[in-house]
DNA sequence: CTTCTAACA
DNA sequence: TGTTAGCA
């Protein structure tokens, strides 16, 4: 009885599932991939294989986008996060904490887009 | 039939 | 972004 943990990092989801899970069009998902916001795994025939983490990430991206952020700005907050994230193993809730934290960064950065 | 890339009425 | 064309 081992490994009953859900591997959120395993990329096994096809575009069709991600499309329904995120509500995004495959066009958008591919575009975000092209912009380097996500790095899905590739399967036979170059077909993208997403993990649950990728889905979370996509939801995250969509949230920032309709909050008014540009792709470039999302990349910026990613970098600012990397530096704080360099240590400390991440927990489950850490992911959600990051969301609020990043939103605050944008607010303190003079972006009253909310 | 599903996904992929590239291109544009 | 949608959508369509032409391949895997």
């Amino acid at each position: 009885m081992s490994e009953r943990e859900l591997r959120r990092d395993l990329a096994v989801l096809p575009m069709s599932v991600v499309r329904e899970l995120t509500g995004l069009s495959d066009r958008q998902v591919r575009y975000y991939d092209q912009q380097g916001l996500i790095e899905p795994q590739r399967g036979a025939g170059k077909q993208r294989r997403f993990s649950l983490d990728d889905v979370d990430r996509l939801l995250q991206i969509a949230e920032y986008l309709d909050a008014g952020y540009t792709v470039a700005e999302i990349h910026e907050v990613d970098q600012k996060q990397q530096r704080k994230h360099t240590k400390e193993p991440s927990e489950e809730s850490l992911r959600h904490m990051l969301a609020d934290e990043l939103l605050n960064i944008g607010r303190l950065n003079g972006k009253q887009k909310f």
Side-chain angles (χ1 to χ4, degrees):
Chain A
M1 292 174 247
S2 56
E3 303 305 318
R4 55 190 169 354
E5 283 280 327
L6 212 173
R7 304 297 305 280
R8 319 180 79 97
D9 60 320
L10 239 28
V12 296
L13 316 181
M15 182 60 92
S16 56
V17 174
V18 173
R19 188 199 300 145
E20 295 192 62
L21 252 33
T22 63
L24 295 169
S25 64
D26 48 344
R27 173 75 166 84
Q28 292 175 299
V29 175
R30 293 189 182 108
Y31 176 66
Y32 304 152
D33 179 18
Q34 197 174 6
Q35 299 307 299
L37 268 52
I38 56 173
E39 298 169 17
Q41 210 173 293
R42 292 287 186 144
K46 294 190 183 307
Q47 305 211 128
R48 274 165 265 248
R49 283 301 148 84
F50 308 83
S51 66
L52 291 177
D53 283 332
D54 288 326
V55 174
D56 263 6
R57 171 65 170 156
L58 251 0
L59 257 16
Q60 186 74 231
I61 294 170
E63 189 179 348
Y64 280 93
L65 252 27
D66 54 52
Y69 283 77
T70 64
V71 172
E73 291 174 321
I74 294 177
H75 272 126
E76 287 179 34
V77 289
D78 283 347
Q79 292 174 45
K80 290 193 175 184
Q81 256 311 308
Q82 262 180 35
R83 298 178 177 171
K84 301 186 59 177
H85 198 310
T86 296
K87 296 182 180 180
E88 311 297 312
S90 49
E91 309 171 6
E92 268 303 307
S93 57
L94 187 60
R95 173 176 18 252
H96 301 91
M97 289 174 71
L98 295 182
D100 298 309
E101 196 166 357
L102 295 184
L103 289 173
N104 284 326
I105 291 177
R107 201 172 310 161
L108 273 53
N109 230 14
K111 296 185 178 301
Q112 244 59 47
K113 296 181 180 180
F114 293 105

